[in-house]
Each structure stands twice: as C-alpha cells, then as structure tokens.
Amino acid sequence: MRPEETEGSILNTVSASDTAKPSAVDFDVIIVGAGVAGCVAAIELARAGKDVAVIERGVQPGAKNLSGGIFYSRIMEEILPNFLSEAPVERKITRNVLSFLNENSHVNIDYWDRRLASPVNAVSVLRGKLDLWLSEQAEEAGAMIMPGVMADRLLRGENGNIFGIGAGDEQITAHLVLAADGVNSFLARDAGIRKKAPNKQLAVGIKTVIALPRNTIEQRFGLNRDENDGCAFAMVGDATQGVAGGGFLYTNTDSVSAGVVLRLDDLQRSGLSAAGIHDRFLAHPAVAPYLADGKVLEYGCHLTIEDGPALSRQPLTAPGLMLIGDAAGFTLNTGMTIRGMDLAAESARLAARTAVEALAAEDFSEEFLSSYPQKINASPMGKDLRLYSRTPAFLDSPRLYGKYGNMAADIFYELYNIDLRPRKKLSKIVMRALRRSGIGITEGIRDAYNALRAL
Ligand SMILES: Cc1cc2nc3c(=O)[nH]c(=O)nc-3n(C[C@H](O)[C@H](O)[C@H](O)COP(=O)(O)OP(=O)(O)OC[C@H]3O[C@@H](n4cnc5c(N)ncnc54)[C@H](O)[C@@H]3O)c2cc1C
C-alpha cells in the first residue's frame, strides 16, 4: 500500500511541478489500466512486496472492457493457481468451429476434442466479471486499486525520465509507470514512443451478449453439461459482408457472446456501417437459430488490434515507462483465434519481473529496462509473434471473405445434390467450382502458399 496516505484524497495534490521528481515518491510502481494486463502486473508486483497503485478510468475494473471472450488460460493457472476453480470463468472450450459463411449456405470445419478439457486450454469469460475478480486478487495481494481516475498525462523530468502520472490537478508519483491502458494507448503516445496506429493495423469489434437458458445453449451447441463444455465459432465470408474480419459465437454458462470484428481500413472502404454488419450477422440464417428467443444483456463496441506482430515491434519502453498488453500491441489474430488476454497476462508478468529488478538496482533508464523486450523476445509469446508475423498479409486477401466460401459450398452442393444427371469426378467438380468462383489458378496457388507460410 502507498506509504503516506492523506485524508480526503488519495492523490498527491501538492502543486509539484510536472517536471521535477520528488525525493520521496508515492508508489514504487503506478499501473494505468485495470484490464488483464494491469491486474496481472499488480498481482505480481504486490506479491514481490512493492508499493503499487492501479489507476482505472472506469467506475470499476472491467466496466469499460470488452473481449470476444475466449481466454487461452494456461498462463493464468501459473499466475493464479486458483484461476479455474475460483475466477468467474464460464465454460471450457472443447469444440472449435471454423465456418465459411455464404448468403445461403455455410461450410464448417467442426473440431471437438476431449484433450482440450484436460488440461484446460481455453475458457469463455465476460470481462465485466473477470476484470473485477482479477482486481480483487491484486487488492488481496496488497495493491491499491483506484477506479474512477483517468490518467491524462505523464509526469516527466527535464532529463526525460517519467516519474508518475497526472489526473486533472492531481499528481501521483512513482519510480516506474506501466502503461496498461489498452489499444491506442494514450500514455505510449504521450511518451513519444508510439503514434496513432494506421487503420490497417486496427479493427473495430461489436458484440452482443444474449441470455439463454443453460439447457438451451447445451442442446443448440451440442455441449456436455457434466463437463461444462463450451464452443467457439469463428466465421468468415458473409459474416462481415466481405469486409476483412470475421464473426464469432462463443458460449458462456447462460449466455452467448455474438459479434463481428472488422478491419478499420476495409470497413471504411466498404462504406458499410459496423452496426449494420453486426445486426445482419446476428440475423444470418446460419446464426439466428442459435440465438432465437434470447434476451439482449449487453451490447458494446471496442477497438482491437489486427496486426499485433507489426505494432509490437515498436519501442516497448521509455525511461521510467514500460508498455504491456494491448498498449504494447500484443494481440495475435490468426483468423481462427484471437489471442490478446493471454499475451496481456504474459507481458505483464515479464514487465513486473523487470520492474522488480529495476527497483532493486534503482535504475529506471531505458537501457536497464531494455531487458523487458529481451524477455518478451525470448518467451513463447515473442516466438509466436514472430511465427505469425505474415498472418496479417495473408488475411488481407479479399478472396477469403467470399470467394473461397462460395467455392467450398459449390463443391459440396455437387457432391450432395443427387439430381438426375450423371455424377462428375471430384477433380472436375473442383475445377468447375474454381472457375465459377472467379479465383485464378495462380491466385489460388499464391493463397495456399501464403497460408502455409502465415500459419
Ligand atoms: C471484439 C473483440 C474480441 C476480442 N476477442 C478476444 C478473444 O476472444 N480472446 C482474447 O484473448 N482476446 C480477445 N480480444 C482482445 C482482448 O480484448 C485484448 O487483447 C485485451 O483486452 C487486452 O487487455 P489489456 O489489459 O491490455 O487492455 P484492456 O482490456 O483494453 O484494458 C485497458 C484498461 O485501461 C483503462 N484505461 C485506458 N486509458 C486509461 C487512462 N487514461 N486512465 C485510466 N485508465 C485507463 C481502460 O478503462 C481499461 O480498463 C478481443 C478484442 C475485441 C475488441
């Protein structure tokens, strides 16, 4: 907890200048943002015995946060061994469906595997509940959570070293600041290490949470109640009316999260409205039956990262500052999975470790903090970010959002539609579907080659 708490305000209202670091700071570390990244960093730092405060602009942690909702949760079991038994997780995801959606058809790759339940690989979550629980874990570990406070500037000495944040007339000082303020991090821009990301590297997500009885969800999605199984649909093609991105359907305990993620530049180019694409997706004949008779619980919209490998190659530190989670660009979208929360947790853990070392050495220089990007590069998440660095270019192919889905449906139609004409060989069916789809043979070969390199 912070050492010199004053009555009436927990913030330092002394008219200290924004450019002079006081000899005694309020906290060892200030974390801005009580999302997954901020809460995990706070847990790790408080456990290491550091004075740590988490500043959150929302009325409570999670109030402003939104994910589709599949958390690849193995990392959390290392950080919080009680995660699966006590955190508000909804269902264990054992069934993954990749769906190519067309106007009047869909072709699915439906993958169910009991091995995904033990050890648990992924769980569905609702951020309003999860972030609040994580912040309680941080508080129990000894961190101070300060909701309803918006950091509006960094405090920086004349030597450029960052020593806290300002919130209106008030200041909070610390040896180190961790920016966990999410995609489009204001703090990263204020520190001068990031510019606004181009629209091609960002996407907008719109999501509705629809309440349904537990039994209904289990029947509609073919889930085993005793095992608390869950299902995740990733849908491309007509899900987004051809706009780069995809739709999703994720089962929670007694609700379903449904929505779309749309790459910003392609959305603008299309002239379509994001809300219109979302509404049409929920009404699509392949989607609507899963949601029928449900009651809308929540509706929200949030930016997300489309090209995490490119964004996270930019600087991650400035003197006295480290970027974690989405603020650093750590999200991986492969078209089949979106991973942001697990990367947020892992980057927070590595930044907290670096912060403990910096506090011990009393060295907050950029040079000392450079061990944080080194830790990221050497970690599994760093390797994944490099492995999938070509994926955004592969997902750029417009053919993925229409032509391939239609072609697949044409092939299956010829196989299943037993009319009175003689059957054709599969090779002929495929070549005819390819011709009808308008995909050139060279384009098809190039896409297949890019898919192999990207995934
Ligand atoms: C539609 C959609 C679907 C997604 N689906 C998935 C998925 O299925 N699985 C997955 O793993 N990831 C998914 N993601 C990505 C995931 O949501 C993010 O990667 C994750 O939330 C990053 O966590 P974070 O803690 O870094 O940032 P955030 O969760 O964005 O938290 C940032 C926090 O900082 C606070 N804040 C911001 N600015 C300030 C300020 N100036 N002062 C004080 N507080 C501030 C915010 O209120 C917020 O609480 C999805 C994202 C979207 C939008």
Side-chain angles (χ1 to χ4, degrees):
M1 299 289 280
R2 71 178 285 242
E4 66 287 313
E5 202 162 300
T6 51
E7 227 181 88
S9 170
I10 45 171
L11 303 186
N12 183 351
T13 50
V14 189
S15 61
S17 101
D18 273 11
T19 55
K21 183 174 180 177
S23 49
V25 288
D26 298 325
F27 294 95
D28 290 326
V29 183
I30 293 169
I31 299 166
V32 178
V36 174
C39 290
V40 167
I43 291 167
E44 295 279 301
L45 284 162
R47 280 180 182 161
K50 305 303 166 200
D51 291 322
V52 50
V54 185
I55 312 296
E56 169 54 48
R57 67 180 172 177
V59 286
Q60 66 177 39
K64 291 201 172 270
N65 299 346
L66 184 148
S67 292
I70 303 300
F71 199 154
Y72 297 90
S73 53
R74 300 230 177 122
I75 176 80
M76 291 311 288
E77 286 183 84
E78 282 189 10
I79 295 165
L80 291 164
N82 62 345
F83 185 73
L84 289 176
S85 56
E86 290 178 26
V89 299
E90 303 282 320
R91 287 178 184 271
K92 290 183 281 184
I93 303 302
T94 51
R95 183 176 169 219
N96 289 279
V97 183
L98 177 61
S99 181
F100 294 89
L101 213 60
N102 307 310
E103 205 176 332
N104 292 309
S105 62
H106 61 91
V107 177
N108 294 348
I109 298 169
D110 191 333
Y111 165 61
W112 172 85
D113 199 324
R114 172 69 31 229
R115 287 175 298 178
L116 293 175
S118 178
V120 174
N121 173 61
V123 288
S124 49
V125 296
L126 293 164
R127 293 291 300 277
K129 294 187 208 171
L130 178 74
D131 292 11
L132 190 59
W133 184 85
L134 285 174
S135 71
E136 286 162 6
Q137 306 306 300
E139 214 160 21
E140 269 173 37
M144 175 181 277
I145 311 289
M146 297 161 78
V149 180
M150 172 148 164
D152 58 27
R153 65 192 184 281
L154 288 164
L155 306 180
R156 207 167 332 175
E158 268 150 19
N159 54 7
N161 290 0
I162 288 155
F163 62 90
I165 60 108
D169 292 341
E170 315 207 64
Q171 297 184 339
I172 319 179
T173 57
H175 293 301
L176 273 170
V177 175
L178 298 192
D181 53 338
V183 56
N184 245 347
S185 164
F186 160 75
L187 293 188
R189 275 182 280 144
D190 196 31
I193 53 175
R194 297 283 174 107
K195 293 200 167 77
K196 190 179 174 310
N199 283 350
K200 195 177 175 63
Q201 293 178 349
L202 298 175
V204 61
I206 307 189
K207 164 178 156 177
T208 303
V209 181
I210 295 162
L212 280 166
R214 196 173 168 176
N215 274 341
T216 308
I217 293 175
E218 281 150 5
Q219 278 161 14
R220 285 183 187 172
F221 289 87
L223 304 174
N224 182 338
R225 181 179 203 139
D226 298 336
E227 305 287 346
N228 196 25
D229 276 344
C231 171
F233 272 76
M235 298 171 142
V236 291
D238 203 44
T240 55
Q241 294 179 249
V243 173
F248 59 88
L249 274 186
Y250 300 152
T251 57
N252 305 311
T253 308
D254 47 16
S255 64
V256 176
S257 297
V260 290
V261 175
L262 308 163
R263 208 177 72 200
L264 276 184
D265 62 332
D266 213 35
L267 176 66
Q268 269 175 349
R269 184 201 49 73
S270 76
L272 297 168
S273 98
I277 295 175
H278 164 274
D279 294 352
R280 188 172 170 277
F281 172 65
L282 266 56
H284 191 284
V287 174
Y290 288 111
L291 308 174
D293 304 321
K295 185 170 153 264
V296 173
L297 289 179
E298 281 175 33
Y299 177 84
C301 164
H302 203 284
L303 271 187
T304 184
I305 294 166
E306 188 68 20
D307 191 348
L311 277 177
S312 59
R313 274 198 295 272
Q314 297 175 57
L316 299 178
T317 62
L321 178 81
M322 286 184 269
L323 312 184
I324 59 178
D326 268 13
F330 292 137
T331 286
L332 260 179
N333 175 5
T334 67
M336 294 183 289
T337 56
I338 301 184
R339 288 173 54 195
M341 290 183 276
D342 61 313
L343 304 192
E346 177 66 334
S347 61
R349 185 160 75 154
L350 297 175
R353 210 169 281 165
T354 309
V356 171
E357 291 160 5
L359 288 162
E362 294 185 23
D363 187 346
F364 311 106
S365 65
E366 207 171 349
E367 199 183 354
F368 192 92
L369 299 183
S370 68
S371 82
Y372 166 52
Q374 285 163 13
K375 290 184 184 83
I376 295 275
N377 282 336
S379 70
M381 71 172 270
K383 290 178 185 153
D384 287 358
L385 283 159
R386 288 196 292 281
L387 179 72
Y388 292 116
S389 61
R390 291 196 172 100
T391 309
F394 163 64
L395 294 178
D396 202 19
S397 165
R399 294 176 285 280
L400 292 180
Y401 308 102
K403 288 183 176 175
Y404 282 111
N406 279 309
M407 184 179 113
D410 279 354
I411 293 170
F412 283 106
Y413 182 74
E414 289 297 333
L415 292 176
Y416 283 99
N417 177 41
I418 312 296
D419 55 19
L420 299 177
R421 293 173 303 155
R423 301 290 82 212
K424 289 193 189 75
K425 281 190 113 170
L426 182 60
S427 55
K428 277 206 165 153
I429 293 176
V430 171
M431 289 314 291
R432 186 159 172 263
L434 188 65
R435 263 197 313 279
R436 281 190 54 189
S437 71
I439 303 168
I441 289 190
T442 4
E443 284 172 336
I445 293 171
R446 196 184 319 131
D447 287 340
Y449 176 67
N450 285 342
L452 288 176
R453 281 175 21 122
L455 302 173

